[in-house]
Amino acid sequence: MPDNRIKEHPVLDFDRGKEIYFEFEGKKIKAYERETIASALYANGIHQFTESKKMHRPRGFFCAIGKCSSCIMKVNGIPHVRTCITPVEEGMKVERHSAQPEIPEIEPEPYPEPEEKEVEIAVVGGGPAGLSAAIVAAEFGGDVHLFDEGDSLGGQLVKQTHQFFGSHKAEAGTRGIDIGTDLLEKAKEMGVKIHHNATVLGYYPEMTLTVDAGGKLEIYHVKGIVYATGAIENYLAFENNDLPGIYGAGGVQTLMNEQGIIPGRKVLMVGSGNVGLIVSYQLLQAGVDVVEVVEAMPHIGGYQVHASKIRRAGVPINTRHTIVKAKGDYEVESAIIQELDEDWNPVPGTEREIECDIICIAVGLQPDNHFLRQAGCDIEFVRELGGFVPIRNKDMETTVEGIFVAGDAAGIEEATVAVLEGRLAGAAIIQRLYGTSEDTQKEKEKAREGIEQMRKGPYGQMPRRGVKVCTIDEEVC
Amino acid sequence: MTDSAGVVIIGGGVNGTGIAYHLAKKGYTDVIVLEKSYICSGASGRNGGGIRQQWSTKENIKLAIESTRMFEELQKELDTDLEFKQGGYLVLAFTEEEVEQFKKNVSIQNEMGLDSKFINPEEAKELVPELNISKVKGATFNETDGTIYPFKVVHGYAKAIKEMGIDVREHTEVLDIEKNGDEITAVKTNKGTIKTDTVVNAAGGWSKKVAEMLQVDLPNKPYRHEIMVTEPYAPFLDPMVISFHHGIYFSQSEHGNIVGGIGNPNETEGIEQRASLWFLKTMAKTLVEFVPRFKGMNMLRQWAGLYDTTPDAQPVLGPVPEVKRFYQVNGFSGHGFMVSPVVDKVTAELILGETPSMDISDLSITRFEDMDIEKEYSVVG
Ligand SMILES: Cc1cc2nc3c(=O)[nH]c(=O)nc-3n(C[C@H](O)[C@H](O)[C@H](O)COP(=O)(O)OP(=O)(O)OC[C@H]3O[C@@H](n4cnc5c(N)ncnc54)[C@H](O)[C@@H]3O)c2cc1C
Ligand code: FES
């Protein structure tokens, strides 16, 4: 079997942990204890994880962060397990299953009453926004529980090997990965109770959360919630867009920068926003060939510095181009790209076939906030923020009292703003529960100032306009 | 902006779009359908898709038999697969009273031409081998009952009526209805006024509110009703299984998901469509009591919709005495999807002044003036 694990990387060291073995459809497979099932399979050259419901088409992973169900498999007899966020274990049995698997036989007591607990503050999501909110709320004395469905925390930050150069002093020049690790350390230090592999399933009136804690249902009655689940990657419609080998940019980052596994040999990047450009550069760093970047807009979407870096490395960026088709029987073998005219229609005769085994989709993100809709928060479509977002006040509190939102879940921006929004929400939730104080007020003002600063830059214009239409001019206290 | 229409239909559910469909089929397209949210946002997009003909009152049996036949035809008319699966309905009895009532129901149903039968618990187990029959006292079964995919029906109607030239306006909420004496003059919406003399109230759980705009007092009361879907599994459940005693129903869709709901006896009247923890726990427990093997399944989603209930659990149909050309198509009490084809057809006939192909005058609002109305017993949830 091939081994697609990265052996040497200019910036990253991969601490994969102990070597272990598990079983995939009867075959013994080598893995490392810090890998997920999906990445261990991928490292061994297995790219098809499931099949589509009706047409039985092969499917690989897509998001690699538990948000798309494209990677569900049968694990130790239980079907529908999201293998991209499930850690691999010694002796585990993993199989593919059809769209309609048998109901598994489970032996233990059918109905242990779910455990019900009362805690003060629940933070949902352990990315930069969630961690920051948890840290600040804990600093001000809150009893904070943080839930994340992943095995490791840090959210999208731990995948960012590049240096941040936001105008916010604190983080400029630091690599995202280090910011993520620092936040996690700080949260632990502050006494935040961290729940890994814990998926928050839903919200129930009033202020109750259900949590899938590794297959066990837990119920939390809380006083306040900060919701910071980040974003979901956008998808593109084109022929054969479900072939294994077509992955979200975030998915590629997770596989490559977090798990240390190369996604393939030759990549077509779709989208030249900062994510597309940065991931292209990261692919080059990992020794992967980026054949071309296509961009539907007439100009490059991201920062010039990022574009120049990959151009210098010889990667062409073709604006006014899009992907129209992927080719391959079981996996991507090539892609057809085509030029677009001024009305965004493909120009006949300009089709070009590009040989590649990976098509990386980097066409933006949309806020992940289904939970807030379930909780009855008012939601508004704000194009500038990437889609449907909750209406919030100046303290990031939604229209349901006691439920706050921060980071990409509130609107697509970037990590520094996510940190600051988290801090703002962390201080504000303390005010909501215990009333205002000079310190919490100061913290809020500092965070808001930082956000203002960030939104003054050229790329802050969009979110700046966006938040205007969905922010109510009020504070918690 | 003021515009006008021959008929304004309030509600973009199965009945609102269905009535428009029957009007259009008859060549009448001077119709505007108004929906305050999106098509199928009400109970029509939130129900279990159950199609049952096993009822206790003659009215409901008659409506359901004819509607089931029409659903079969609709598949061809709309030229889409409506996922109409006729796996039968298995209605379980848990008390002696239920056994008595069920036997009565079957004899009325048979009299009306339905092939339903009363069976013993062992026969029920043959139909659903995984069923726990330890407390089951008997059952009725009718093999032409089944389930349909509600979204495909409503979106099928919506597409067809648009193609035939009917104006469907989503995100347009009716705020008031104006009249002059006992004649309707206009409908006021959040997006302007529409002149009309004919209004259809197919607003589901909001019907009482709509009728109030014309000072018509409907006895309808909205109640939340919750429902869930599991992850998909290999096909193993043919019929829809229901119990009035527990207020539960569940079936397996074409995709393999179990879809089912259970009524909360302590539910209070009102427009509440959020999901509850009570439902999550109770549904999970009860499902496993019915079919122990279900303990290995995962629930995928839960949601809620509104039952628009009436004192006798039968719909309110046809004109009202106080206002001319104000047609009611509401109060379905949790079974409005399955009877919609015939109800919608007859409503269209009434609007156009034709002789109705089925007499539904017994279901007019005036029946509530009468004290001894006949109650439908076979209501689930
Ligand atoms: C959980 C659940 C399970 C069910 N299971 C079944 C089943 O298995 N089988 C079955 O036959 N029935 C079932 N039912 C009942 C069935 O869904 C309803 O009876 C049926 O869908 C009613 O359709 P409708 O078109 O009359 O109303 P709805 O589908 O509720 O449509 C009414 C529409 O009117 C709109 N509206 C309201 N006020 C205004 C206004 N002022 N202006 C503009 N628009 C307005 C609403 O937004 C809504 O979309 C179930 C119901 C629920 C809630
Ligand atoms: S959920 Fe695993 S790839 Fe998206």
Side-chain angles (χ1 to χ4, degrees):
Chain A
M1 282 216 175
D3 190 348
N4 295 320
R5 293 182 180 89
I6 300 170
K7 312 230 158 43
E8 256 176 70
H9 194 282
V11 214
L12 297 169
D13 281 325
F14 297 108
D15 174 14
R16 300 189 164 95
K18 224 172 65 223
E19 194 175 298
I20 56 172
Y21 285 86
F22 73 107
E23 205 180 283
F24 171 68
E25 296 177 351
K27 283 192 293 280
K28 201 170 157 189
I29 301 241
K30 184 176 89 176
Y32 292 92
E33 63 182 356
R34 292 215 181 91
E35 288 177 342
T36 62
I37 299 170
S39 51
L41 289 172
Y42 207 90
N44 286 281
I46 295 150
H47 302 163
Q48 188 198 328
F49 298 158
T50 176
E51 62 173 35
S52 74
K53 257 187 184 173
K54 281 191 183 157
M55 316 287 284
H56 307 286
R57 291 166 62 89
R59 292 273 164 88
F61 80 87
F62 178 71
C63 73
I65 50 170
K67 296 197 182 190
C68 74
S69 306
S70 186
C71 63
I72 52 173
M73 298 174 98
K74 192 191 274 184
V75 177
N76 291 335
I78 308 289
H80 305 296
V81 175
R82 288 173 295 171
T83 55
C84 72
I85 54 165
T86 308
V88 65
E89 282 167 21
E90 179 75 51
M92 218 173 212
K93 283 196 168 62
V94 177
E95 295 159 72
R96 287 179 276 224
H97 63 69
S98 76
Q100 297 184 340
E102 293 295 327
I103 300 173
E105 299 287 342
I106 55 164
E107 270 325 306
E109 237 338 79
Y111 273 97
E113 278 297 316
E115 233 178 288
E116 302 211 18
K117 296 174 189 170
E118 284 187 25
V119 306
E120 243 172 23
I121 296 171
V123 176
V124 186
L131 280 168
S132 304
I135 291 168
V136 172
E139 262 171 4
F140 287 120
D143 163 35
V144 184
H145 287 249
L146 185 144
F147 301 89
D148 195 288
E149 60 185 353
D151 191 38
S152 57
L153 266 67
Q156 300 305 306
L157 261 189
V158 295
K159 298 157 201 172
Q160 310 309 333
T161 50
H162 63 288
Q163 301 186 354
F164 277 65
F165 44 76
S167 53
H168 192 62
K169 310 179 263 328
E171 276 83 32
T174 320
R175 292 184 197 280
I177 182 161
D178 301 325
I179 308 173
T181 322
D182 291 352
L183 285 174
L184 181 56
E185 281 314 309
K186 187 76 201 261
K188 285 185 190 155
E189 205 179 291
M190 294 317 305
V192 173
K193 282 124 205 137
I194 293 177
H195 303 253
H196 304 260
N197 302 316
T199 303
V200 173
L201 299 169
Y203 173 90
Y204 296 88
E206 302 300 332
M207 287 290 167
T208 299
L209 303 180
T210 48
V211 178
D212 173 0
K216 204 171 96 231
L217 183 68
E218 290 177 353
I219 296 170
Y220 286 86
H221 303 284
V222 302
K223 295 206 179 88
I225 300 168
V226 180
Y227 193 71
T229 49
I232 303 170
E233 288 192 83
N234 288 337
Y235 208 45
L236 268 187
F238 56 90
E239 199 177 329
N240 280 335
N241 67 357
D242 60 343
L243 272 183
I246 304 174
Y247 306 133
V252 166
Q253 280 196 322
T254 307
L255 192 70
M256 181 169 69
N257 298 346
E258 208 179 318
Q259 300 273 323
I261 292 158
I262 54 162
R265 309 280 152 204
K266 285 182 158 193
V267 177
L268 169 69
M269 180 64 65
V270 183
S272 74
N274 275 328
V275 173
L277 297 175
I278 290 169
V279 174
S280 295
Y281 186 68
Q282 293 172 349
L283 282 159
L284 296 170
Q285 274 185 324
V288 179
D289 185 12
V290 179
V291 197
E292 191 162 329
V293 178
V294 290
E295 167 60 60
M297 290 195 298
H299 54 84
I300 292 172
Y303 293 147
Q304 267 314 319
V305 261
H306 293 315
S308 308
K309 260 189 183 164
I310 64 165
R311 273 199 170 131
R312 270 200 302 275
V315 179
I317 305 177
N318 274 316
T319 53
R320 280 231 177 278
H321 274 73
T322 193
I323 178 165
V324 290
K325 183 178 181 171
K327 288 172 85 175
D329 291 332
Y330 300 100
E331 286 186 39
V332 172
E333 284 161 21
S334 66
I336 310 282
I337 62 169
Q338 201 169 359
E339 208 177 307
L340 295 173
D341 67 16
E342 251 136 63
D343 301 319
W344 306 84
N345 296 316
V347 181
T350 60
E351 295 90 341
R352 195 149 52 82
E353 183 158 359
I354 299 210
E355 201 196 308
C356 57
D357 59 355
I358 300 292
I359 298 168
C360 187
I361 309 286
V363 293
L365 301 161
Q366 49 178 299
D368 176 1
N369 48 38
H370 296 95
F371 174 97
L372 296 176
R373 299 185 207 193
Q374 192 197 358
C377 303
D378 289 342
I379 304 281
E380 186 69 44
F381 186 84
V382 182
R383 193 182 53 85
E384 290 89 342
L385 295 176
F388 289 97
V389 296
I391 306 283
R392 78 296 301 266
N393 66 14
K394 280 165 67 187
D395 284 346
M396 302 308 291
E397 187 174 31
T398 66
T399 52
V400 174
E401 194 178 296
I403 302 184
F404 293 74
V405 64
D408 278 358
I412 306 301
E413 285 186 70
E414 46 72 78
T416 314
V417 172
V419 167
L420 294 167
E421 283 183 345
R423 297 192 67 91
L424 174 56
I429 199 167
I430 292 293
Q431 292 190 336
R432 171 57 77 209
L433 301 185
Y434 307 108
T436 186
S437 71
E438 211 175 294
D439 289 345
T440 47
Q441 197 60 27
K442 251 197 212 143
E443 179 64 49
K444 277 177 24 180
E445 274 154 26
K446 207 171 94 198
R448 272 198 224 116
E449 245 165 62
I451 297 171
E452 266 302 289
Q453 281 277 319
M454 286 301 297
R455 290 188 185 138
K456 275 193 182 137
Y459 286 87
Q461 294 308 315
M462 276 251 284
R464 197 184 166 78
R465 255 183 288 139
V467 291
K468 249 194 202 141
V469 295
C470 60
T471 308
I472 303 167
D473 193 22
E474 274 171 16
E475 288 185 66
V476 164
C477 298
Chain B
M1 186 187 75
T2 316
D3 45 3
S4 67
V7 177
V8 169
I9 298 174
I10 305 174
V14 70
N15 288 305
T17 56
I19 293 161
Y21 176 74
H22 284 284
L23 288 170
K25 260 180 53 175
K26 291 172 182 293
Y28 189 86
T29 56
D30 186 15
V31 178
I32 299 177
V33 178
L34 299 176
E35 168 52 55
K36 69 179 169 66
S37 185
Y38 51 90
I39 292 294
C40 231
S41 58
S44 298
R46 296 163 185 262
N47 67 69
I51 308 287
R52 164 162 60 104
Q53 299 156 88
Q54 303 177 67
W55 291 93
S56 74
T57 68
K58 284 193 172 154
E59 278 70 30
N60 275 336
I61 299 170
K62 191 170 73 175
L63 291 175
I65 293 180
E66 178 58 10
S67 290
T68 307
R69 198 191 56 74
M70 288 174 72
F71 271 126
E72 290 167 17
E73 264 172 27
L74 190 63
Q75 253 192 162
K76 291 180 216 133
E77 280 177 29
L78 296 177
D79 195 25
T80 27
D81 174 15
L82 302 175
E83 296 181 24
F84 188 18
K85 169 181 159 189
Q86 283 170 295
Y89 248 70
L90 180 64
V91 189
L92 301 174
F94 284 86
T95 64
E96 288 310 327
E97 293 79 60
E98 276 194 315
V99 169
E100 285 320 300
Q101 177 70 39
F102 282 18
K103 285 183 175 159
K104 261 192 235 153
N105 294 354
V106 168
S107 76
I108 303 174
Q109 289 158 7
N110 293 163
E111 208 178 290
M112 308 269 310
L114 195 68
D115 232 359
S116 58
K117 57 186 183 225
F118 188 87
I119 57 178
N120 63 34
E122 289 69 32
E123 288 169 310
K125 202 170 168 68
E126 271 167 38
L127 291 166
V128 181
E130 308 277 353
L131 192 69
N132 169 11
I133 52 164
S134 61
K135 292 184 184 137
V136 176
K137 299 252 185 313
T140 65
F141 183 70
N142 174 47
E143 64 182 16
T144 55
D145 292 346
T147 53
I148 201 158
Y149 196 46
F151 285 95
K152 290 203 169 173
V153 176
V154 183
H155 285 289
Y157 279 149
K159 182 164 169 273
I161 59 180
K162 283 183 206 162
E163 280 168 7
M164 290 190 274
I166 285 182
D167 189 354
V168 179
R169 300 186 189 172
E170 296 181 82
H171 303 287
T172 308
E173 181 171 0
V174 175
L175 304 175
D176 203 3
I177 307 172
E178 289 169 0
K179 64 174 180 182
N180 189 353
D182 62 357
E183 283 172 16
I184 294 172
T185 54
V187 170
K188 267 171 87 176
T189 78
N190 59 344
K191 294 186 179 160
T193 301
I194 302 162
K195 285 194 178 146
T196 187
D197 67 352
T198 306
V199 169
V200 179
N201 180 6
W206 296 265
S207 294
K208 189 179 170 65
K209 274 170 84 175
V210 167
E212 273 166 9
M213 296 173 187
L214 286 167
Q215 289 83 49
V216 170
D217 187 24
L218 293 182
N220 309 17
K221 290 178 180 170
Y223 282 91
R224 167 171 68 180
H225 187 84
E226 298 187 74
I227 177 166
M228 60 103 229
V229 59
T230 69
E231 290 178 338
Y233 297 96
F236 77 102
L237 181 64
D238 277 337
M240 167 84 95
V241 178
I242 69 174
S243 155
F244 304 126
H245 186 73
H246 297 80
I248 195 174
Y249 60 91
F250 56 91
S251 67
Q252 188 171 27
S253 75
E254 294 256 292
H255 299 275
N257 315 73
I258 304 293
V259 177
I262 191 164
N264 184 343
N266 299 319
E267 194 66 64
T268 51
E269 179 190 341
I271 294 189
E272 163 68 272
Q273 296 196 89
R274 290 183 299 177
S276 79
L277 198 55
W278 177 91
F279 173 81
L280 178 74
K281 292 184 186 173
T282 314
M283 187 66 191
K285 259 193 194 145
T286 318
L287 269 182
V288 175
E289 276 164 27
F290 274 71
V291 180
R293 189 166 158 222
F294 279 175
K295 67 177 188 271
M297 298 190 314
N298 276 328
M299 234 186 239
L300 197 59
R301 278 192 300 282
Q302 67 177 109
W303 65 94
L306 295 173
Y307 270 20
D308 188 33
T309 59
T310 62
D312 61 357
Q314 301 201 71
V316 179
L317 303 177
V320 299
E322 304 96 315
V323 184
K324 283 190 187 139
R325 303 193 66 74
F326 182 43
Y327 297 93
Q328 305 311 305
V329 188
N330 49 54
F332 288 99
S333 307
H335 49 270
F337 210 96
M338 57 183 92
V339 295
S340 60
V342 68
V343 164
D344 298 347
K345 182 174 167 212
V346 171
T347 304
E349 290 162 349
L350 288 174
I351 292 169
L352 297 179
E354 297 173 1
T355 318
S357 49
M358 188 183 278
D359 180 14
I360 54 165
S361 56
D362 285 355
L363 293 170
S364 130
I365 185 165
T366 52
R367 74 179 183 275
F368 298 105
E369 290 157 14
D370 213 345
M371 276 298 118
D372 54 55
I373 44 172
E374 186 188 5
K375 188 169 161 62
E376 171 60 66
Y377 288 101
S378 306
V379 180
V380 61

